[in-house]
Amino acid sequence: MERDDIIEYSLDAHHSEEEGVKIRKKIYFVTILLTAITAVEVGLGVWWHSLGLPHTMVQYAFIIMTLVKAGYIVAVFMHLGDERRPFLITVVVPYGLFIAYLVFICLNEATTWMESRILYNWLF
Amino acid sequence: MTGEASKQISTAELWGGGRSPFSISYGKMYMWFFLISDALTFSGLLVSLGVMRHKYSDVWPDSSHVFHAFPFTGPDTNLPLLYVALMTFILIVSSVTMVLAVEAGHRMDKKGVTKWLALTIVGGLFFLLSQVWEWSHFIHGTEHGVWEWMDGTRANLVDGAGNLVAKWGDGITLTFLDGRESLTGAAAAAMLESATQVYGANLHVNEYGHQLYADFFFFVTGFHGFHVFSGVVINFIILIGVMKGIYHKRGHYEMVEKTGLYWHFVDLVWVFVFTIYYLL
């Protein structure tokens, strides 16, 4: 049965040739950016010892570069940046808050675990 | 992107009922919700990896010392992380071809969608084969292996020139990995009697260091690899649909967009696996 009270949002997603050129330009820009960040990450991973950089700083740099990459993939490749703002918030905020809390609490706990492991010379 | 989501509509009308306030079709929305649940699974794996990595941070192996081989270049290759970086690059490029397929779909360009989707499948297959090689290399291990005792002590055999060797003989030194004094001659030979030689890694032994390092390698990259595999299968099914003209007749290529969301998610997860497992 045909229903005329349902809006077919998917039929509305088309764009013209000129807009396509602009969108492709953006896609190629993001491609180069992601490749460059990956190259920097690998270079840092291989040479940070000989460059004499502090390990903590290198680790934070890795995490920041990864989050930048993830942001571009989600916003541009997955088009989340083009969706309506309430949808973006629905997807990103609950997940992001939960994971930020989980990472914080678990890594804190694990560091204490490691310290007592070494302090009391546990075998496990 | 044009479409319903970027139209200027007043909040009152948008949230007043009779329409989706997100201006999004149910299929796409549920793909997003599935991806959130899948992301929670991967987060669980990666956070537990982080916990164990912190707990054993004094004995955790350095990935750039484990993954330094390259296919077809022999056992002495020392190119740390380069092949993993290449795999990452290939997955990113296949994500790009996917987004180009979606873009071609928005212009109702059937030929373009077919071409880019086929290239995406090729990239996915290349990644899977690389994963197979990496697993095989990790499981088989180095040519010299490592000697292990019941109490967890580990040692290598080193010849006069400082190279690691597999077999005990004259002029070979037993070098312990925890830094205690090396043994030679009869003392070393007697000690080796009670040791076993370990090559590579599986769920029971791990040549490269802590056992959990191998366990997490298999679980995290295996779970991700299974996602890549199912992504390739789904993309292939959609490609058949595109070639038969099903979506062209329907008037939109949203199926390509939905499977594209899944494919980008697989790339997204690999970005995190690459950082957390290989780099940190």
Side-chain angles (χ1 to χ4, degrees), chain A residues 7 9-15 17 19-20 24 27 31 35 38 41-42 46 62 66 69-70 73 77-78 83-84 86-87 90 95 98-99 106-107 110-111 113-114 117-118 124, chain B residues 2-5 7 9 14 19-24 28 32 39 43 50-51 54-58 80 85 89 96 99 103 106-108 251-252 254 261 264 267-268 272 274-275:
Chain A
I7 307 171
Y9 299 103
S10 32
L11 278 172
D12 208 23
H14 300 301
H15 59 240
E17 289 292 331
E19 281 171 310
R24 281 198 296 270
I27 293 171
T31 310
T35 310
T38 308
E41 278 183 334
V42 174
V46 175
F62 282 148
T66 305
K69 266 161 68 170
I73 290 173
F77 286 180
M78 297 170 95
E83 304 290 358
R84 286 206 188 277
F87 184 65
T90 308
Y95 175 79
F98 175 64
I99 294 304
C106 285
L107 296 193
T111 310
W113 207 351
M114 188 247 325
R117 210 190 96 241
I118 292 171
F124 50 89
Chain B
T2 50
E4 190 75 15
K7 274 183 197 151
I9 300 173
L14 205 54
R19 57 169 295 126
S20 158
F22 295 152
S23 306
I24 192 171
K28 229 163 96 181
W32 270 107
S43 309
V51 167
H54 271 245
K55 186 185 170 189
Y56 296 106
S57 54
D58 50 332
F89 177 70
V96 172
V99 79
E103 194 273 331
H106 286 158
R107 288 184 283 107
M108 296 302 285
H252 59 80
E254 207 192 57
L261 280 176
H264 295 312
D267 180 33
L268 182 68
F272 281 93
F274 180 59
T275 301

Coordinates of all heavy atoms in Angstrom, one line a residue, chain A residues 7 9-15 17 19-20 24 27 31 35 38 41-42 46 62 66 69-70 73 77-78 83-84 86-87 90 95 98-99 106-107 110-111 113-114 117-118 124, chain B residues 2-5 7 9 14 19-24 28 32 39 43 50-51 54-58 80 85 89 96 99 103 106-108 251-252 254 261 264 267-268 272 274-275:
Chain A
I7 N 7.6 10.9 4.5 CA 8.5 11.7 3.6 C 9.7 10.8 3.2 O 10.3 10.1 4.1 CB 9.0 12.9 4.3 CG1 7.9 13.8 4.9 CG2 9.9 13.8 3.4 CD1 8.3 14.9 5.8
Y9 N 13.0 10.7 2.6 CA 14.2 11.6 2.7 C 15.3 11.2 1.8 O 16.1 12.0 1.3 CB 14.7 11.6 4.2 CG 13.7 12.1 5.2 CD1 13.0 11.2 6.0 CD2 13.5 13.5 5.3 CE1 12.1 11.7 6.9 CE2 12.6 13.9 6.2 CZ 11.9 13.1 7.0 OH 10.9 13.5 7.8
S10 N 15.4 9.9 1.5 CA 16.4 9.4 0.6 C 16.3 9.8 -0.8 O 17.3 9.9 -1.5 CB 16.4 7.8 0.7 OG 15.1 7.4 0.9
L11 N 15.1 10.2 -1.2 CA 14.9 10.7 -2.6 C 15.5 12.1 -2.8 O 15.6 12.6 -3.9 CB 13.4 10.7 -3.0 CG 12.9 9.3 -3.4 CD1 11.4 9.4 -3.6 CD2 13.5 8.9 -4.7
D12 N 15.8 12.7 -1.6 CA 16.1 14.1 -1.7 C 17.6 14.4 -1.6 O 18.1 15.5 -1.5 CB 15.4 14.8 -0.5 CG 15.1 16.3 -0.8 OD1 15.1 16.6 -2.0 OD2 15.0 17.0 0.1
A13 N 18.4 13.3 -1.6 CA 19.8 13.4 -1.3 C 20.7 13.7 -2.6 O 21.9 13.6 -2.5 CB 20.4 12.2 -0.7
H14 N 20.0 14.1 -3.7 CA 20.8 14.2 -4.9 C 21.5 15.6 -5.0 O 21.1 16.5 -4.3 CB 19.9 14.1 -6.1 CG 19.3 12.7 -6.2 ND1 20.0 11.6 -6.2 CD2 18.0 12.3 -6.1 CE1 19.2 10.5 -6.2 NE2 18.0 11.0 -6.2
H15 N 22.6 15.7 -5.7 CA 23.2 17.0 -6.0 C 23.7 17.0 -7.4 O 23.8 16.0 -8.1 CB 24.3 17.3 -5.0 CG 25.5 16.3 -5.0 ND1 25.8 15.6 -3.9 CD2 26.3 15.9 -6.0 CE1 26.8 14.8 -4.2 NE2 27.1 15.0 -5.5
E17 N 26.1 18.3 -10.9 CA 27.5 18.0 -11.2 C 28.5 19.0 -10.6 O 29.6 18.7 -10.1 CB 27.7 18.1 -12.8 CG 27.0 17.0 -13.5 CD 27.8 15.7 -13.3 OE1 29.0 15.7 -13.1 OE2 27.1 14.6 -13.4
E19 N 28.1 20.8 -7.8 CA 28.3 20.6 -6.4 C 29.2 19.3 -6.2 O 30.0 19.3 -5.3 CB 26.9 20.3 -5.8 CG 26.1 21.6 -5.5 CD 24.7 21.3 -5.0 OE1 24.0 20.5 -5.7 OE2 24.3 21.8 -4.0
G20 N 29.0 18.4 -7.1 CA 29.9 17.2 -7.0 C 31.3 17.5 -7.1 O 32.2 16.9 -6.4
R24 N 34.0 16.5 -4.2 CA 35.1 15.7 -4.5 C 36.4 16.4 -4.1 O 37.3 15.7 -3.6 CB 35.2 15.3 -6.0 CG 34.2 14.2 -6.3 CD 34.6 13.6 -7.6 NE 34.5 14.5 -8.7 CZ 33.3 14.7 -9.4 NH1 32.3 14.0 -9.2 NH2 33.3 15.6 -10.4
I27 N 36.8 15.8 -0.5 CA 37.2 14.4 -0.3 C 38.7 14.2 -0.5 O 39.4 13.6 0.3 CB 36.4 13.4 -1.1 CG1 34.9 13.5 -0.7 CG2 36.9 12.0 -1.0 CD1 34.0 12.7 -1.7
T31 N 41.7 13.1 2.1 CA 42.5 12.0 1.9 C 44.0 12.3 2.1 O 44.7 11.6 2.8 CB 42.4 11.6 0.4 OG1 41.0 11.4 0.1 CG2 43.1 10.3 0.1
T35 N 46.5 10.8 5.1 CA 47.7 10.1 4.7 C 48.9 10.8 5.4 O 49.8 10.1 6.0 CB 47.9 10.1 3.2 OG1 46.7 9.7 2.6 CG2 49.0 9.3 2.8
T38 N 49.0 10.0 9.1 CA 49.5 8.6 9.3 C 51.0 8.5 9.1 O 51.7 7.8 9.9 CB 48.8 7.6 8.3 OG1 47.4 7.8 8.4 CG2 49.1 6.2 8.6
E41 N 52.7 9.9 12.1 CA 52.6 8.9 13.2 C 53.6 7.8 13.1 O 54.3 7.5 14.1 CB 51.2 8.3 13.2 CG 50.1 9.2 13.9 CD 48.8 8.5 13.9 OE1 48.5 7.6 13.1 OE2 48.0 8.8 14.8
V42 N 53.7 7.3 11.9 CA 54.7 6.2 11.8 C 56.1 6.7 12.0 O 56.9 6.1 12.7 CB 54.6 5.5 10.4 CG1 55.6 4.5 10.2 CG2 53.2 4.9 10.3
V46 N 58.7 5.3 14.9 CA 60.0 4.7 14.6 C 61.2 5.5 15.2 O 62.1 5.0 15.7 CB 60.2 4.5 13.1 CG1 61.6 4.0 12.8 CG2 59.1 3.6 12.5
F62 N 50.2 11.0 19.7 CA 49.5 9.9 19.0 C 48.0 10.0 19.2 O 47.2 9.9 18.3 CB 50.0 8.6 19.5 CG 51.3 8.2 18.9 CD1 52.2 7.4 19.6 CD2 51.7 8.5 17.6 CE1 53.4 7.0 19.1 CE2 52.9 8.2 17.1 CZ 53.8 7.4 17.9
T66 N 45.2 10.8 16.4 CA 44.2 9.8 16.1 C 42.8 10.4 16.2 O 41.9 10.1 15.3 CB 44.3 8.6 17.1 OG1 45.6 8.1 17.0 CG2 43.3 7.5 16.8
K69 N 42.1 12.5 13.1 CA 41.8 11.6 12.0 C 40.3 11.1 12.1 O 39.6 11.1 11.1 CB 42.7 10.4 12.0 CG 43.9 10.6 11.0 CD 45.1 9.7 11.4 CE 44.9 8.2 11.1 NZ 46.1 7.4 11.2
A70 N 40.0 10.6 13.3 CA 38.7 10.0 13.5 C 37.6 11.1 13.3 O 36.6 10.8 12.6 CB 38.5 9.5 15.0
I73 N 37.1 11.5 9.5 CA 36.4 10.4 8.9 C 34.9 10.5 9.2 O 34.1 10.3 8.3 CB 37.0 9.0 9.4 CG1 38.4 8.8 8.9 CG2 36.1 7.9 9.0 CD1 39.2 7.7 9.4
F77 N 33.7 11.7 5.7 CA 33.4 10.5 5.0 C 32.0 9.9 5.4 O 31.3 9.4 4.5 CB 34.5 9.5 5.3 CG 35.8 9.7 4.6 CD1 36.9 8.9 4.8 CD2 35.9 10.8 3.8 CE1 38.1 9.1 4.1 CE2 37.1 11.1 3.1 CZ 38.2 10.2 3.3
M78 N 31.7 10.0 6.6 CA 30.4 9.5 7.1 C 29.3 10.5 7.0 O 28.1 10.3 7.4 CB 30.5 8.9 8.4 CG 31.4 7.7 8.5 SD 31.8 7.1 10.1 CE 30.6 5.8 10.3
E83 N 24.6 16.2 8.6 CA 23.3 15.9 9.2 C 22.9 17.0 10.1 O 23.6 17.9 10.4 CB 23.4 14.6 10.0 CG 23.9 13.4 9.2 CD 22.9 12.9 8.1 OE1 21.8 13.4 8.0 OE2 23.3 11.9 7.4
R84 N 21.6 16.9 10.5 CA 21.1 18.0 11.4 C 21.8 17.9 12.8 O 22.1 16.8 13.3 CB 19.6 17.8 11.6 CG 18.8 18.3 10.4 CD 17.4 18.7 10.8 NE 16.6 19.0 9.6 CZ 16.7 20.1 8.9 NH1 17.5 21.1 9.4 NH2 16.0 20.3 7.8
P86 N 20.9 18.1 16.0 CA 20.4 17.2 17.0 C 20.8 15.7 16.8 O 21.1 15.0 17.7 CB 18.9 17.3 16.9 CG 18.7 18.7 16.3 CD 19.8 18.9 15.4
F87 N 20.9 15.3 15.5 CA 21.3 13.9 15.2 C 22.7 13.7 15.6 O 23.1 12.7 16.2 CB 21.0 13.6 13.8 CG 21.3 12.2 13.5 CD1 20.6 11.1 14.0 CD2 22.4 11.8 12.6 CE1 20.8 9.8 13.8 CE2 22.6 10.5 12.3 CZ 21.9 9.5 12.9
T90 N 23.0 13.4 19.2 CA 22.5 12.1 19.7 C 23.5 11.0 19.5 O 23.6 10.1 20.3 CB 21.2 11.7 18.9 OG1 20.3 12.8 19.0 CG2 20.5 10.5 19.4
Y95 N 27.8 8.5 23.7 CA 28.9 7.6 23.5 C 30.2 8.2 24.0 O 30.9 7.5 24.7 CB 29.0 7.2 22.0 CG 30.2 6.4 21.6 CD1 30.2 5.0 21.9 CD2 31.4 6.9 21.1 CE1 31.3 4.2 21.6 CE2 32.5 6.2 20.9 CZ 32.4 4.8 21.1 OH 33.5 4.0 20.9
F98 N 30.4 8.4 27.8 CA 30.6 7.1 28.4 C 32.0 6.6 28.2 O 32.7 6.1 29.2 CB 29.6 6.1 27.8 CG 29.8 4.7 28.3 CD1 29.6 4.4 29.7 CD2 30.2 3.7 27.5 CE1 29.8 3.1 30.2 CE2 30.4 2.4 28.0 CZ 30.2 2.1 29.3
I99 N 32.6 6.7 27.0 CA 33.9 6.2 26.7 C 35.0 7.0 27.5 O 35.9 6.4 28.0 CB 34.1 6.1 25.2 CG1 33.2 5.1 24.6 CG2 35.6 5.7 24.9 CD1 33.3 3.7 25.1
C106 N 39.3 3.2 34.0 CA 40.0 1.9 33.8 C 41.5 2.1 33.9 O 42.2 1.3 34.5 CB 39.6 1.2 32.5 SG 38.0 0.5 32.6
L107 N 42.0 3.2 33.2 CA 43.4 3.4 33.2 C 44.0 3.8 34.5 O 45.1 3.4 34.9 CB 43.8 4.4 32.1 CG 43.5 3.9 30.6 CD1 44.2 4.8 29.6 CD2 43.9 2.5 30.4
A110 N 44.2 0.6 36.4 CA 45.2 -0.2 36.0 C 46.6 0.3 36.4 O 47.5 -0.6 36.7 CB 45.2 -0.3 34.4
T111 N 46.8 1.6 36.5 CA 48.1 2.1 36.9 C 48.3 1.7 38.4 O 49.4 1.3 38.8 CB 48.1 3.6 36.8 OG1 47.7 3.9 35.5 CG2 49.5 4.2 37.0
W113 N 47.1 -0.8 39.9 CA 47.3 -2.3 39.8 C 48.7 -2.6 39.5 O 49.4 -3.4 40.2 CB 46.4 -2.8 38.7 CG 45.9 -4.2 38.8 CD1 46.3 -5.1 39.7 CD2 45.0 -4.9 38.0 NE1 45.7 -6.3 39.5 CE2 44.8 -6.2 38.5 CE3 44.2 -4.5 36.9 CZ2 44.0 -7.1 37.8 CZ3 43.4 -5.4 36.3 CH2 43.2 -6.7 36.8
M114 N 49.3 -1.9 38.5 CA 50.7 -2.1 38.2 C 51.6 -1.7 39.3 O 52.5 -2.5 39.7 CB 51.0 -1.2 36.9 CG 52.4 -1.5 36.4 SD 53.6 -0.2 36.5 CE 52.7 1.3 36.3
R117 N 51.5 -4.3 41.9 CA 52.2 -5.5 41.4 C 53.7 -5.5 41.6 O 54.3 -6.4 42.0 CB 51.9 -5.6 39.9 CG 51.8 -7.0 39.3 CD 51.7 -7.0 37.8 NE 53.1 -7.2 37.3 CZ 53.7 -6.3 36.5 NH1 53.2 -5.2 36.2 NH2 54.9 -6.6 36.1
I118 N 54.2 -4.3 41.3 CA 55.7 -4.1 41.5 C 56.1 -4.0 42.9 O 57.0 -4.7 43.4 CB 56.2 -2.9 40.7 CG1 56.0 -3.2 39.2 CG2 57.6 -2.6 41.0 CD1 56.2 -2.0 38.3
F124 N 51.5 -12.4 39.2 CA 50.4 -12.2 38.2 C 50.1 -10.8 37.8 O 50.5 -9.9 38.6 CB 49.1 -12.9 38.6 CG 48.7 -12.5 40.0 CD1 47.9 -11.4 40.2 CD2 49.1 -13.2 41.1 CE1 47.4 -11.1 41.4 CE2 48.7 -12.9 42.4 CZ 47.9 -11.8 42.6
Chain B
T2 N 23.4 18.4 -0.3 CA 22.1 19.1 -0.3 C 21.2 18.2 0.5 O 21.5 17.6 1.5 CB 21.6 19.4 -1.7 OG1 21.7 18.2 -2.4 CG2 22.4 20.5 -2.3
G3 N 20.0 18.1 0.0 CA 19.1 17.1 0.7 C 18.3 17.7 1.9 O 18.6 18.8 2.3
E4 N 17.4 16.9 2.4 CA 16.5 17.4 3.4 C 17.2 17.9 4.7 O 16.8 18.9 5.3 CB 15.6 16.2 3.8 CG 14.4 16.5 4.7 CD 13.3 17.2 4.0 OE1 13.3 17.2 2.7 OE2 12.4 17.8 4.6
A5 N 18.4 17.3 5.0 CA 19.0 17.6 6.3 C 19.6 19.0 6.3 O 19.8 19.6 7.3 CB 20.1 16.6 6.6
K7 N 18.2 21.7 4.6 CA 17.1 22.7 4.4 C 16.9 23.5 5.6 O 16.9 23.0 6.7 CB 15.8 22.0 3.9 CG 15.8 21.7 2.4 CD 14.5 21.1 2.0 CE 14.6 20.5 0.6 NZ 13.6 19.4 0.5
I9 N 14.6 24.8 8.0 CA 13.2 24.5 8.5 C 13.1 25.0 10.0 O 14.0 24.7 10.7 CB 12.8 23.0 8.4 CG1 13.0 22.5 7.0 CG2 11.4 22.8 9.0 CD1 12.8 21.0 6.8
L14 N 10.0 21.5 12.6 CA 10.8 20.3 12.6 C 10.4 19.3 13.7 O 10.4 18.1 13.5 CB 12.3 20.8 12.8 CG 13.4 19.9 12.3 CD1 13.2 19.5 10.8 CD2 14.7 20.5 12.5
R19 N 6.9 14.4 10.9 CA 8.1 14.2 10.1 C 9.2 13.8 11.1 O 9.1 13.9 12.3 CB 8.5 15.5 9.4 CG 8.6 16.7 10.4 CD 9.2 17.9 9.7 NE 10.6 17.6 9.3 CZ 11.0 17.8 8.0 NH1 10.2 18.3 7.1 NH2 12.2 17.6 7.7
S20 N 10.4 13.4 10.5 CA 11.5 13.0 11.3 C 12.3 14.3 11.7 O 12.7 15.0 10.8 CB 12.5 12.1 10.6 OG 13.8 12.2 11.1
P21 N 12.5 14.6 13.0 CA 13.2 15.9 13.3 C 14.6 15.8 12.8 O 15.3 16.8 12.6 CB 13.1 15.9 14.8 CG 12.4 14.7 15.3 CD 12.0 13.9 14.1
F22 N 15.1 14.6 12.6 CA 16.5 14.4 12.1 C 16.6 14.5 10.6 O 17.7 14.5 10.0 CB 17.1 13.1 12.6 CG 17.2 12.9 14.0 CD1 17.2 11.7 14.6 CD2 17.5 14.0 14.9 CE1 17.3 11.5 16.0 CE2 17.6 13.9 16.2 CZ 17.5 12.6 16.8
S23 N 15.4 14.5 9.9 CA 15.4 14.6 8.5 C 16.3 13.5 7.9 O 17.1 13.7 7.0 CB 15.8 15.9 7.9 OG 15.1 16.9 8.5
I24 N 16.1 12.3 8.3 CA 16.9 11.2 7.9 C 16.1 9.9 7.8 O 15.1 9.8 8.5 CB 18.0 11.0 9.0 CG1 19.1 10.1 8.5 CG2 17.5 10.5 10.3 CD1 20.3 10.1 9.5
K28 N 19.1 4.7 7.4 CA 20.4 5.3 7.8 C 20.5 5.5 9.3 O 21.6 5.3 9.8 CB 20.5 6.7 7.0 CG 21.7 6.8 6.3 CD 21.6 8.0 5.3 CE 22.1 9.3 5.8 NZ 22.0 10.3 4.8
W32 N 23.3 3.9 11.9 CA 24.1 4.7 12.9 C 24.0 4.1 14.3 O 25.0 4.0 15.0 CB 23.7 6.2 12.9 CG 24.4 7.0 11.9 CD1 24.0 7.5 10.8 CD2 25.8 7.5 12.1 NE1 25.0 8.3 10.1 CE2 26.1 8.2 10.9 CE3 26.8 7.3 13.0 CZ2 27.3 8.8 10.7 CZ3 28.0 7.9 12.8 CH2 28.3 8.6 11.7
A39 N 30.6 0.1 18.1 CA 31.7 0.9 18.6 C 31.9 0.6 20.1 O 33.0 0.6 20.6 CB 31.5 2.4 18.4
S43 N 35.3 -0.6 21.8 CA 35.8 0.2 22.9 C 36.1 -0.7 24.1 O 37.1 -0.5 24.7 CB 34.8 1.3 23.3 OG 34.4 2.0 22.2
G50 N 44.1 -1.5 27.0 CA 44.7 -0.4 27.7 C 45.0 -0.8 29.1 O 46.1 -0.5 29.7
V51 N 44.0 -1.4 29.8 CA 44.2 -1.8 31.2 C 45.4 -2.7 31.3 O 46.2 -2.5 32.2 CB 42.9 -2.5 31.7 CG1 43.1 -3.1 33.0 CG2 41.8 -1.4 31.9
H54 N 48.7 -1.0 30.8 CA 49.1 -0.2 31.9 C 49.6 -1.1 33.1 O 50.6 -0.8 33.7 CB 48.0 0.7 32.4 CG 47.9 2.0 31.7 ND1 48.1 3.2 32.3 CD2 47.8 2.3 30.4 CE1 48.1 4.1 31.4 NE2 47.8 3.6 30.2
K55 N 48.8 -2.2 33.3 CA 49.2 -3.1 34.4 C 50.6 -3.7 34.2 O 51.3 -3.9 35.1 CB 48.1 -4.2 34.5 CG 48.3 -5.1 35.7 CD 47.3 -6.2 35.7 CE 47.7 -7.2 36.8 NZ 47.0 -8.4 36.8
Y56 N 50.9 -4.1 33.0 CA 52.2 -4.7 32.7 C 53.1 -3.7 31.9 O 53.9 -4.2 31.1 CB 52.0 -6.0 31.9 CG 51.3 -7.0 32.7 CD1 49.9 -7.3 32.4 CD2 51.9 -7.7 33.8 CE1 49.3 -8.3 33.2 CE2 51.2 -8.6 34.5 CZ 49.9 -8.9 34.2 OH 49.2 -9.8 35.0
S57 N 53.0 -2.4 32.1 CA 53.7 -1.5 31.3 C 55.2 -1.7 31.4 O 56.0 -1.3 30.5 CB 53.3 -0.1 31.6 OG 53.5 0.2 33.0
D58 N 55.7 -2.3 32.5 CA 57.2 -2.5 32.6 C 57.7 -3.7 31.8 O 58.8 -3.8 31.5 CB 57.5 -2.7 34.1 CG 56.7 -3.7 34.8 OD1 55.5 -3.9 34.4 OD2 57.1 -4.4 35.7
P80 N 60.5 -1.2 10.7 CA 59.5 -1.2 11.8 C 58.2 -0.5 11.4 O 58.2 0.6 10.8 CB 60.2 -0.4 12.9 CG 61.4 0.2 12.3 CD 61.7 -0.5 11.1
A85 N 51.6 0.3 8.4 CA 51.3 1.7 7.9 C 50.7 1.6 6.5 O 49.8 2.3 6.2 CB 52.6 2.6 7.9
F89 N 47.1 2.7 5.2 CA 46.9 3.6 4.0 C 45.9 3.0 3.1 O 45.1 3.7 2.5 CB 48.3 3.8 3.4 CG 48.2 4.6 2.1 CD1 47.9 6.0 2.2 CD2 48.5 4.0 0.9 CE1 47.9 6.7 1.0 CE2 48.4 4.8 -0.3 CZ 48.1 6.1 -0.2
V96 N 38.1 6.1 0.9 CA 38.0 7.3 0.0 C 37.2 6.8 -1.3 O 36.3 7.5 -1.7 CB 39.3 7.8 -0.4 CG1 39.2 8.9 -1.5 CG2 40.0 8.4 0.8
V99 N 33.6 6.7 -0.4 CA 32.9 8.0 -0.3 C 32.7 8.6 -1.7 O 31.7 9.2 -2.0 CB 33.6 8.9 0.7 CG1 34.8 9.6 0.1 CG2 32.6 10.0 1.2
E103 N 29.2 9.6 -3.5 CA 29.0 10.9 -4.2 C 28.5 10.6 -5.6 O 27.6 11.4 -6.1 CB 30.4 11.6 -4.2 CG 30.4 13.1 -4.6 CD 30.4 13.3 -6.1 OE1 31.1 12.4 -6.8 OE2 29.9 14.3 -6.6
H106 N 24.8 10.1 -5.6 CA 24.0 11.3 -5.4 C 23.8 12.0 -6.8 O 22.9 12.8 -6.9 CB 24.7 12.2 -4.4 CG 24.5 11.8 -3.0 ND1 25.4 12.2 -2.0 CD2 23.6 10.9 -2.4 CE1 25.0 11.6 -0.9 NE2 24.0 10.8 -1.1
R107 N 24.7 11.7 -7.7 CA 24.5 12.3 -9.1 C 23.8 11.3 -10.0 O 23.8 11.5 -11.2 CB 25.9 12.7 -9.7 CG 26.4 13.9 -9.0 CD 27.7 14.4 -9.7 NE 28.9 13.5 -9.3 CZ 29.5 12.7 -10.1 NH1 29.0 12.5 -11.3 NH2 30.5 12.0 -9.6
M108 N 23.4 10.1 -9.5 CA 22.7 9.0 -10.2 C 23.6 8.6 -11.3 O 23.2 8.2 -12.4 CB 21.4 9.5 -10.8 CG 20.3 9.8 -9.8 SD 20.0 8.5 -8.7 CE 19.0 7.4 -9.8
G251 N 15.4 5.1 -7.8 CA 15.5 6.6 -7.8 C 16.6 7.2 -6.9 O 16.8 8.4 -6.8
H252 N 17.2 6.3 -6.0 CA 18.3 6.8 -5.2 C 19.3 5.7 -4.8 O 18.9 4.5 -4.9 CB 17.7 7.5 -3.9 CG 16.9 6.5 -3.1 ND1 17.5 5.6 -2.2 CD2 15.6 6.3 -3.0 CE1 16.5 4.9 -1.6 NE2 15.3 5.3 -2.1
E254 N 20.7 5.0 -1.8 CA 20.9 5.1 -0.4 C 21.5 3.8 0.2 O 22.2 3.8 1.2 CB 19.6 5.4 0.4 CG 20.0 6.1 1.7 CD 18.8 6.3 2.6 OE1 18.2 5.2 2.9 OE2 18.5 7.4 2.9
L261 N 28.5 3.7 5.2 CA 28.7 4.0 6.6 C 29.4 2.9 7.4 O 30.3 3.1 8.2 CB 27.3 4.3 7.3 CG 26.6 5.6 7.0 CD1 25.3 5.6 7.6 CD2 27.5 6.7 7.6
H264 N 33.1 2.8 6.4 CA 33.9 3.9 7.0 C 34.1 3.6 8.5 O 35.2 3.9 9.0 CB 33.2 5.2 6.9 CG 33.0 5.7 5.5 ND1 34.1 5.7 4.6 CD2 32.0 6.2 4.8 CE1 33.7 6.2 3.4 NE2 32.4 6.4 3.5
D267 N 37.1 1.4 8.8 CA 38.3 2.2 8.7 C 38.5 3.0 10.0 O 39.7 3.0 10.5 CB 38.1 3.1 7.5 CG 39.3 4.0 7.3 OD1 40.4 3.6 7.6 OD2 39.1 5.2 6.9
L268 N 37.5 3.5 10.5 CA 37.6 4.3 11.8 C 38.2 3.4 12.9 O 39.1 3.9 13.6 CB 36.2 4.8 12.1 CG 36.1 5.7 13.4 CD1 36.7 7.0 13.1 CD2 34.6 5.9 13.7
F272 N 42.0 3.5 15.3 CA 42.2 3.4 16.7 C 43.1 2.2 17.0 O 43.9 2.2 17.9 CB 40.9 3.4 17.4 CG 40.3 4.7 17.6 CD1 39.3 5.2 16.7 CD2 40.6 5.5 18.6 CE1 38.8 6.4 16.8 CE2 40.1 6.8 18.8 CZ 39.2 7.3 17.8
F274 N 45.3 0.8 15.2 CA 46.7 1.2 14.8 C 47.4 2.0 15.8 O 48.5 1.7 16.2 CB 46.6 2.0 13.4 CG 47.9 2.4 12.9 CD1 48.9 1.4 12.6 CD2 48.2 3.7 12.7 CE1 50.1 1.8 12.1 CE2 49.5 4.1 12.2 CZ 50.4 3.2 11.9
T275 N 46.7 3.0 16.4 CA 47.3 3.8 17.4 C 47.5 3.0 18.7 O 48.6 3.0 19.3 CB 46.5 5.0 17.7 OG1 46.3 5.8 16.5 CG2 47.1 5.9 18.7

